[in-house]
Amino acid sequence: MLRILVMNGPNLNLLGTREPEVYGTQTLAEIEAMIAGRAADLGVDVMFFQSNHEGALIDRLHDAMGDADGVVFNPGAYTHYSYALRDAISSTGLPVVEVHLSDISSREEFRAVSVIAPVCLAQIAGLGAESYTKGLDTLVAHVRGEDR
Ligand code: DQA
């Protein structure tokens, strides 16, 4: 069975109370439950990881080379400036789908730039929690070769 890692970066542990007008009212645990439901429908195993620390996210990506077939990743604000995360993604060679709850292209100027997008399979943003389920669909279709 395919194993997919769903990773969340800084401040996403605060979903539910964090700027609900931007990010909605669902907690991360509720979003993860929704993703787990979609994973079950797709017949894939899913693992979850959240950290507020860049190095911990990099370490988990490295470990994913041994335990995952692909990654759905919301790097939070690291999206916009972490060349270290970008290098970690390209170093693993794993397919990674970048996801965001909000539409990063229509917010502050600094958010429109994603330094990780060039090394990701796709970017899905602005669909709220559904960005994650669509990200999972996109990733699984790619790993299964259904997008070719
Ligand atoms: C975010 C967008 C980022 O700009 C922000 O720093 C986040 C969340 C999103 O999911 O919309 O932490 O990645």
Side-chain angles (χ1 to χ4, degrees):
M1 198 183 270
L2 289 180
R3 282 168 70 80
I4 304 299
L5 173 65
V6 178
M7 296 220 311
N8 279 283
N11 302 304
L12 292 162
N13 55 312
L14 297 182
L15 286 177
T17 54
R18 174 193 182 195
E19 301 175 78
E21 66 288 357
V22 179
Y23 298 116
T25 54
Q26 280 177 289
T27 64
L28 183 57
E30 287 166 350
I31 292 172
E32 287 178 346
M34 186 176 141
I35 298 165
R38 178 65 63 94
D41 292 345
L42 291 167
V44 300
D45 268 345
V46 73
M47 306 173 279
F48 297 104
F49 183 76
Q50 188 276 330
S51 178
N52 294 321
H53 304 278
E54 189 178 27
L57 293 163
I58 292 168
D59 286 343
R60 187 65 189 90
L61 278 169
H62 292 178
D63 290 345
M65 287 189 282
D67 73 359
D69 298 295
V71 184
V72 174
F73 190 16
N74 183 348
Y78 286 137
T79 304
H80 314 301
Y81 65 92
S82 177
Y83 296 117
L85 274 173
R86 174 190 166 128
D87 283 352
I89 292 168
S90 53
S91 301
T92 66
L94 285 168
V96 176
V97 175
E98 173 188 355
V99 298
H100 301 281
L101 294 147
S102 66
D103 179 6
I104 57 172
S105 67
S106 65
R107 298 180 61 196
E108 299 96 324
E109 212 171 299
F110 76 89
R111 290 188 207 274
V113 175
S114 167
V115 301
I116 72 156
V119 294
C120 289
L121 178 65
Q123 181 195 75
I124 297 166
L127 305 178
E130 282 178 22
S131 293
Y132 290 89
T133 47
K134 191 168 177 209
L136 184 64
D137 291 346
T138 303
L139 180 63
V140 170
H142 174 79
V143 175
R144 288 181 171 158
E146 293 164 3
D147 60 351
R148 285 187 283 276

